[in-house]
Amino acid sequence: MSTPYAANSPTRAEIDALPGATLLEFGTDWCGFCRAAQPLIAAALAAQPALRHLKVEDGPGRALGRSFKVKLWPTLIFLRDGQELARLVRPADAAALREAMLRLGGSA
């Protein structure tokens, strides 16, 4: 069982102020695409135990998702010191995740 998406999300200012590398994942627990992507995401994260991973529930009226212009789930945003370095929408393969993590300065 994967970690559920958090209903209470941080503010954009809190995200922008995060130091270091962060994976920000937008989706919902009932989304089929989100559930299908979880094993792939979990495998990539297993290789990066120090990477901060925030799973944020998204939907209409959710300010954080709108500030990142999230349209489809899951959307993975790779940040370093609050700056977006990479984005994956509905990731389907490990290679794309590895490439995005390499942009953060890690290996997957």
Side-chain angles (χ1 to χ4, degrees), residues 4 10 36 39 66 71 78 88 90:
R66 302 301 64 77
K71 304 247 186 243
F78 297 82
L88 293 176
R90 293 188 176 166

Side-chain angles (χ1 to χ4, degrees), residues 70-91:
V70 172
K71 304 247 186 243
L72 297 171
W73 304 321
T75 293
L76 308 178
I77 300 176
F78 297 82
L79 306 162
R80 174 159 301 283
D81 299 325
Q83 298 298 310
E84 182 175 336
L85 298 181
R87 176 182 296 234
L88 293 176
V89 178
R90 293 188 176 166

Side-chain angles (χ1 to χ4, degrees), residues 1-107:
M1 179 86 179
S2 67
T3 306
Y5 288 91
N8 296 321
S9 64
T11 65
R12 178 62 190 254
E14 290 170 329
I15 294 296
D16 291 344
L18 289 173
T22 302
L23 169 56
L24 186 56
E25 178 184 348
F26 289 97
T28 66
D29 292 325
W30 52 263
C31 167
F33 291 104
C34 300
R35 289 192 309 249
Q38 291 312 300
L40 182 67
I41 296 168
L45 288 170
Q48 294 290 322
L51 178 62
R52 179 186 301 112
H53 177 216
L54 302 174
K55 288 181 75 170
V56 178
E57 185 177 284
D58 191 41
R62 300 286 181 134
L64 188 60
R66 302 301 64 77
S67 75
F68 280 100
K69 298 180 176 27
V70 172
K71 304 247 186 243
L72 297 171
W73 304 321
T75 293
L76 308 178
I77 300 176
F78 297 82
L79 306 162
R80 174 159 301 283
D81 299 325
Q83 298 298 310
E84 182 175 336
L85 298 181
R87 176 182 296 234
L88 293 176
V89 178
R90 293 188 176 166
D93 62 68
L97 272 166
R98 276 194 302 275
E99 182 181 325
M101 286 187 174
L102 286 172
R103 293 177 104 185
L104 290 178
S107 60

